[in-house]
Amino acid sequence: MSDLFSKFDALIAERQALLDTGVRDPFSIVMEKVLSPTRAVIKGKETILLGTYNYMGMTFDPDVIQAGKDALDQFGAGTTGSRLLNGTYQGHRECEDALKEFYGTEHAMVFSTGYQANLGLVSTIAGKGDYIILDADSHASIYDGCALGNAEVVRFRHNSVDDLDKRLGRLPPEAGKLVILEGVYSMMGDVAPLPEMVAIAKKHGCMIMCDEAHGMGFFGANGRGVFEEMGCEGDIDFIVGTFSKSVGTVGGFVVSNHPKFEVLRLVTRPYVFTASLPPSVVATAAMSIRKLMHAGDKRAHLWENSRRLHNGLRELGYKLGTETPQSAIIAIILTDQAQAVALWQSLLEGGVYVNLARPPATPAGMFLLRCSLCAEHSGNEVETILGLFAESGRAVGCIGAAV
């Protein structure tokens, strides 16, 4: 009988060879205690967190925590049902109301995760005979939404306005078309040229979806995302986002002004057939979203942190994913897996945790460390991080010795 796990043998061997060198497994880190949005205890040592996506530091906000505690007392630990049946509680509606106020839209639909929000909208809105046109670097949840649905899928080169125009020009003009973009791309932290791409999509009669998972909270005057920052608010048909980044909890959502939007509650399988979020989670999300409406000072400090870390790493000699700081994500590109793992381990031992990313999460042959900054990182913490990158980088040969 065939062993269905045999397809993973090469990966298993590669992982074991790495562990045999004495390196800790980068993908099985346990936070024994979380002390704040920027610090946790890992293997008994207090560690600065630089890989959590906790952009606005809302996980320890006292009002957010209290909202969750109150909801636990009033509504219990869980819903035991889907949104369509018995799983919509008062808190779900209040969370959707907070989203509508935050985004200034008529409709909002909350999912159990951001992954399911993409999976649900993408697989449902475009069907047989329709086309989905997506950036080649789109998130796995977007690709999986395409696989779950029946639409034809067309990819265009990452952030290429010309390639998007060319590929749309080859499609039947009468067909339904959905162009999918992301405000911030999570691997490199680069942003999309939304105004140009939106103009091309509109020229070809397409509807537009923009994933603002990594843009919500700190882009735009109101923190709505890159589409707000770039003046595209009136042109995007669907904004998809998550609660697991700037909002500081878990869950996902879609907001829209389309007059027929509410029918999606009846036909979107990842919404209809999944248990809804616990009352405590939607309560924390709603409170966090309402506080993010007035988080201008946090946004400004997060940008200060991003510019300081980006510029400091460049000065040390690291190769970064973007020439200038474009978001709260900073990608450090390494030559190979051995170098990436060595730097990652040295940083962890020094007291900084970052994300190690490798294929298939990255393009073939690309290994990088991904830093994600928080508005709660102090200036002193950023300087400490830079000092550890200098020390570790020189120790493992990623950068040259100090002049």
Side-chain angles (χ1 to χ4, degrees):
M1 183 176 67
S2 175
D3 182 355
L4 295 176
F5 279 87
S6 61
K7 65 177 71 70
F8 306 118
D9 286 349
L11 179 59
I12 292 169
E14 180 185 340
R15 177 178 179 272
Q16 189 57 51
L18 182 65
L19 297 178
D20 288 344
T21 66
V23 171
R24 295 181 63 183
D25 187 346
F27 307 109
S28 62
I29 291 296
V30 176
M31 295 187 190
E32 295 138 25
K33 185 176 182 181
V34 181
L35 306 173
S36 74
T38 65
R39 294 190 178 249
V41 176
I42 298 175
K43 206 171 183 180
K45 180 173 183 173
E46 185 171 331
T47 303
I48 298 175
L49 299 175
L50 191 62
T52 66
Y53 289 152
N54 191 7
Y55 299 127
M56 300 299 283
M58 300 303 289
T59 50
F60 275 80
D61 182 274
D63 295 328
V64 171
I65 291 173
Q66 189 60 52
K69 289 178 177 179
D70 292 344
L72 273 172
D73 290 339
Q74 296 172 30
F75 295 100
T79 61
T80 70
S82 73
R83 290 292 307 274
L84 195 64
L85 299 176
N86 63 304
T88 294
Y89 285 28
Q90 178 181 328
H92 295 89
R93 289 299 189 191
E94 290 175 353
C95 188
E96 288 172 343
D97 287 343
L99 282 166
K100 287 187 283 187
E101 184 178 349
F102 184 86
Y103 281 101
T105 58
E106 293 293 322
H107 306 284
M109 189 171 168
V110 166
F111 290 76
S112 296
T113 65
Y115 179 97
Q116 286 181 309
N118 270 332
L119 198 68
L121 181 65
V122 173
S123 65
T124 304
I125 198 68
K128 189 174 178 61
D130 298 327
Y131 290 85
I132 293 173
I133 306 91
L134 74 164
D135 189 292
D137 283 9
S138 292
H139 190 266
S141 59
I142 294 173
Y143 275 106
D144 288 352
C146 293
L148 185 63
N150 294 313
E152 295 290 328
V153 178
V154 177
R155 298 193 304 174
F156 63 91
R157 287 196 307 276
H158 177 54
N159 274 350
S160 173
V161 177
D162 290 341
D163 199 40
L164 173 62
D165 191 17
K166 183 187 302 180
R167 292 179 186 276
L168 285 175
R170 296 170 181 166
L171 301 181
E174 70 280 0
K177 295 180 281 289
L178 176 70
V179 170
I180 300 179
L181 308 169
E182 295 183 46
V184 178
Y185 287 87
S186 63
M187 274 300 125
M188 294 296 178
D190 54 329
V191 301
L194 288 182
E196 295 87 349
M197 289 188 160
V198 165
I200 292 297
K202 292 295 183 184
K203 181 182 80 170
H204 291 280
C206 306
M207 298 187 81
I208 304 168
M209 170 193 138
C210 185
D211 184 328
E212 287 287 357
H214 297 274
M216 180 189 185
F218 58 97
F219 280 90
N222 300 292
R224 292 170 179 168
V226 176
F227 78 105
E228 181 190 30
E229 179 90 12
M230 295 188 176
C232 301
E233 284 190 274
D235 298 314
I236 308 289
D237 297 284
F238 307 102
I239 297 295
V240 178
T242 181
F243 298 154
S244 62
K245 280 39 175 201
S246 288
V247 179
T249 180
V250 67
F253 63 88
V254 182
V255 297
S256 177
N257 282 320
H258 196 286
K260 298 179 182 179
F261 180 83
E262 290 298 317
V263 74
L264 292 178
R265 296 185 191 274
L266 304 177
V267 295
T268 304
R269 293 172 70 86
Y271 177 91
V272 173
F273 294 104
T274 301
S276 64
L277 289 168
S280 57
V281 171
V282 286
T284 58
M287 177 60 72
S288 181
I289 291 163
R290 293 193 184 282
K291 296 196 75 168
L292 288 176
M293 296 177 193
H294 311 288
D297 290 344
K298 274 179 172 281
R299 284 191 278 277
H301 183 64
L302 180 55
W303 279 112
E304 288 175 10
N305 285 343
S306 178
R307 286 190 289 268
R308 176 65 189 116
L309 185 61
H310 190 284
N311 293 337
L313 289 171
R314 282 183 62 86
E315 289 168 3
L316 286 172
Y318 283 102
K319 180 182 179 181
L320 305 183
T322 59
E323 286 297 315
T324 58
Q326 294 189 23
S327 68
I329 298 169
I330 298 173
I332 301 168
I333 302 173
L334 287 312
T335 56
D336 53 35
Q337 177 168 284
Q339 187 183 67
V341 171
L343 180 58
W344 173 85
Q345 173 133 323
S346 180
L347 287 167
L348 185 62
E349 290 171 352
V352 173
Y353 170 74
V354 297
N355 297 132
L356 172 65
R358 49 153 291 162
T362 61
M366 178 178 286
F367 297 88
L368 55 87
L369 297 188
R370 183 177 58 184
C371 310
S372 49
L373 284 152
C374 176
E376 294 298 317
H377 278 125
S378 67
N380 286 338
E381 283 179 317
V382 174
E383 296 306 320
T384 298
I385 290 166
L386 283 169
L388 286 167
F389 265 103
E391 181 181 331
S392 293
R394 290 168 187 143
V396 302
C398 296
I399 56 174
V403 178

